Amino acid sequence: MKQVAVFGYGTVGSGVVEVIDRNSAVIEKRVGEKLNVKYILDLRDFPGDPNESKVVHDINVILDDPEVEIVCETMGGNEPAFTYSKNALLKGKSVCTSNKELVANHGPELLKLAKENNCNYLFEASVGGGIPVIRTINEALTAEIIDGITGILNGTTNYILTKMDREGAKFDDVLKQAQDLGYAEKNPEADVEGYDACRKIAILSSLMTGHYVHFEDIYTEGITKITPEDFKYAKALNCTIKLLAMSKENNGSYYAMVAPFLIGKDTALYNVNDVFNAVFVHSNMLDDSMYYGRGAGKLATASAVVGDVIEAAKNTGKNLPIFWDDTKVNLLGIGEVNRSFLVRVKEAECDKKEISAAFGEVTYVTDAGVAGEIGFVTPMMKEKDFEAKLNNLSGVIGRIRLDK
Ligand code: HSE
């Protein structure tokens, strides 16, 4: 019997206990032994819960129990999750986590500790919920040089943008609906400002490069300024708007960013809607591949954690190498990246002469049906050149990047 402890009995933690319980027979066959949740660490008591007797409040009960070989860290946040994870690894206990913030912040250090203590730090559930994208990169695409990853990595924002596209609704109204349905957090800042997607692409970028891409170096723009008018332009251009998280090789360097993009109907990510996530990977031998599924939710995320528990259980006493060291990657500024932009200006303050003088030959969007403004798509240019030109243009309402 493999003994497991769960740190944090919230949504994901209780999901982990449920998955281990409901799928115990098949898990036992796959591991070759039964998995048993021996302890649940939480500050709270859970009177009446079937697992009430397993709840402990003192981490040392778990750390000092040699029978516990694997812990699931489903607490979230940096502390005390970081200290608890370190201490578990120091005791040779594998840690399986859904905590993207901790992985993005301290991944290399925790991976090193796992290696030194012949155990594993596994984090499948930290990106893309139940989509097995981390294991795919670490174990399946190992013959590849990956040079680009583009993902829809946040379910809440994808739900909001999908509703805005389909219903012509306003951001604030859809956010409220998402909160009422329990998709968005009461404090939705991390989702709508792109911080959640930023941490996830930081993790994927680190696995892509084998080094450490720090989330603070990633340019991040959220979706709070996207309006129904933007979607009218998107439709006129046969596009929709998605919050993309991307990391790409560019002439031997890498850049990474999170921002809303106009993407065409002919692109693979166009039909990724509602709370679904998808990760599009480009690599040198396989070319394009895409991974799609539920990027959030109790059982989807818990299933990924338990998948890691099974992996750890099958590899007791053995560290599984993960291609991610602590050498920092110096990212290329996104100002150097070439792309085109949709720009909206007020008709009363700017004319086509001024637009041509600034941007040369542009493509006007004539059928968006938005009165009192001019919308146009620029030629491809470096972001820094675009921003300089835009700063000198009169009556600017907004701009959105095109992913072409
Ligand atoms: N808040 C996240 C999302 C949860 O909406 O995708 C999963 O990481």
Side-chain angles (χ1 to χ4, degrees):
M1 178 123 65
K2 293 275 182 200
Q3 300 291 0
V4 178
V6 176
F7 293 175
Y9 200 43
T11 306
V12 181
S14 58
V16 166
V17 178
E18 185 177 336
V19 171
I20 291 177
D21 181 43
R22 280 175 54 187
N23 285 354
S24 66
V26 72
I27 291 172
E28 183 174 346
K29 283 191 192 131
R30 287 183 175 139
V31 176
E33 276 179 81
K34 195 172 166 51
L35 285 188
N36 179 55
V37 176
K38 187 168 183 184
Y39 302 108
I40 295 166
L41 179 76
D42 205 287
L43 289 171
R44 302 161 290 180
D45 288 310
F46 295 88
D49 187 284
N51 296 297
E52 185 185 357
S53 63
K54 297 181 176 178
V55 176
V56 295
H57 306 304
D58 180 2
I59 176 93
N60 291 312
V61 173
I62 298 168
L63 295 179
D64 293 340
D65 186 338
E67 278 189 4
V68 175
E69 290 181 28
I70 302 161
V71 302
C72 303
E73 187 272 290
T74 50
M75 308 170 74
N78 275 304
E79 282 296 353
F82 182 40
T83 305
Y84 289 180
S85 299
K86 270 199 297 196
N87 289 339
L89 294 169
L90 282 167
K91 294 264 185 178
K93 300 179 195 303
S94 288
V95 176
C96 306
T97 187
S98 56
N99 188 341
K100 58 225 158 187
E101 198 175 342
L102 186 59
V103 178
N105 253 315
H106 295 289
E109 191 179 340
L110 293 165
L111 286 169
K112 194 160 168 252
L113 263 187
K115 190 173 179 188
E116 286 165 2
N117 291 280
N118 292 323
C119 55
N120 290 290
Y121 185 63
L122 301 172
F123 46 91
E124 181 63 66
S126 65
V127 180
I131 310 171
V133 64
I134 304 271
R135 188 162 291 112
T136 300
I137 293 174
N138 281 339
E139 292 181 22
L141 299 180
T142 44
E144 296 289 322
I145 296 172
I146 300 174
D147 57 16
I149 297 180
T150 304
I152 293 174
L153 298 179
N154 182 268
T156 304
T157 47
N158 205 39
Y159 172 83
I160 293 172
L161 292 173
T162 303
K163 284 280 241 189
M164 288 179 77
D165 187 11
R166 286 181 185 156
E167 297 171 13
K170 285 189 179 152
F171 170 78
D172 288 334
D173 297 340
V174 186
L175 173 60
K176 168 107 191 20
Q177 285 173 28
Q179 283 172 315
D180 291 346
L181 286 166
Y183 292 148
E185 312 281 339
K186 285 246 156 25
N187 178 359
E189 194 188 4
D191 292 316
V192 298
E193 296 294 357
Y195 308 148
D196 176 82
C198 169
R199 278 151 185 80
K200 292 168 177 169
I201 194 69
I203 295 168
L204 295 180
S205 308
S206 297
L207 295 172
M208 172 172 111
T209 60
H211 303 302
Y212 187 18
V213 175
H214 201 278
F215 69 87
E216 281 171 353
D217 296 338
I218 297 177
Y219 174 87
T220 301
E221 201 178 296
I223 64 161
T224 54
K225 295 195 183 91
I226 301 294
T227 64
E229 288 72 30
D230 289 325
F231 276 99
K232 289 188 178 170
Y233 282 97
K235 283 203 167 69
L237 288 165
N238 262 327
C239 288
T240 188
I241 302 168
K242 295 287 185 193
L243 183 70
L244 299 185
M246 61 176 68
S247 187
K248 293 193 178 176
E249 196 260 352
N250 189 304
N251 296 326
S253 300
Y254 295 92
Y255 74 89
M257 66 188 295
V258 175
F261 276 84
L262 286 154
I263 63 167
K265 273 193 173 147
D266 53 348
T267 61
L269 295 173
Y270 181 91
N271 287 314
V272 178
N273 287 318
D274 300 311
V275 290
F276 282 84
N277 283 193
V279 185
F280 187 84
V281 177
H282 185 267
S283 55
N284 67 338
M285 298 292 148
L286 171 64
D287 202 52
D288 292 332
S289 58
M290 191 163 116
Y291 311 92
Y292 169 84
R294 290 198 177 272
K298 177 175 169 167
L299 292 178
T301 309
S303 169
V305 176
V306 178
D308 279 348
V309 172
I310 293 167
E311 191 72 3
K314 284 160 55 180
N315 289 282
T316 305
K318 181 179 165 204
N319 177 256
L320 302 163
I322 291 183
F323 184 56
W324 181 357
D325 68 25
D326 59 5
T327 314
K328 189 173 181 289
V329 177
N330 290 315
L331 292 176
L332 191 72
I334 63 160
E336 298 302 321
V337 179
N338 270 304
R339 60 175 89 257
S340 61
F341 298 79
L342 165 73
V343 181
R344 293 170 51 203
V345 293
K346 289 180 192 151
E347 205 172 21
E349 294 176 31
C350 186
D351 59 20
K352 289 187 175 178
K353 210 167 138 200
E354 190 183 337
I355 293 167
S356 303
F359 290 101
E361 203 171 312
V362 301
T363 308
Y364 289 100
V365 187
T366 52
D367 48 358
V370 184
E373 47 181 85
I374 304 172
F376 63 92
V377 175
T378 70
M380 295 286 282
M381 59 182 70
K382 284 194 172 173
E383 282 231 7
K384 65 179 181 190
D385 297 335
F386 168 77
E387 290 299 340
K389 290 172 196 291
L390 193 75
N391 280 338
N392 290 323
L393 201 69
S394 316
V396 174
I397 299 167
R399 58 100 177 94
I400 307 180
R401 297 170 179 85
L402 270 79
D403 187 42
K404 291 274 183 194

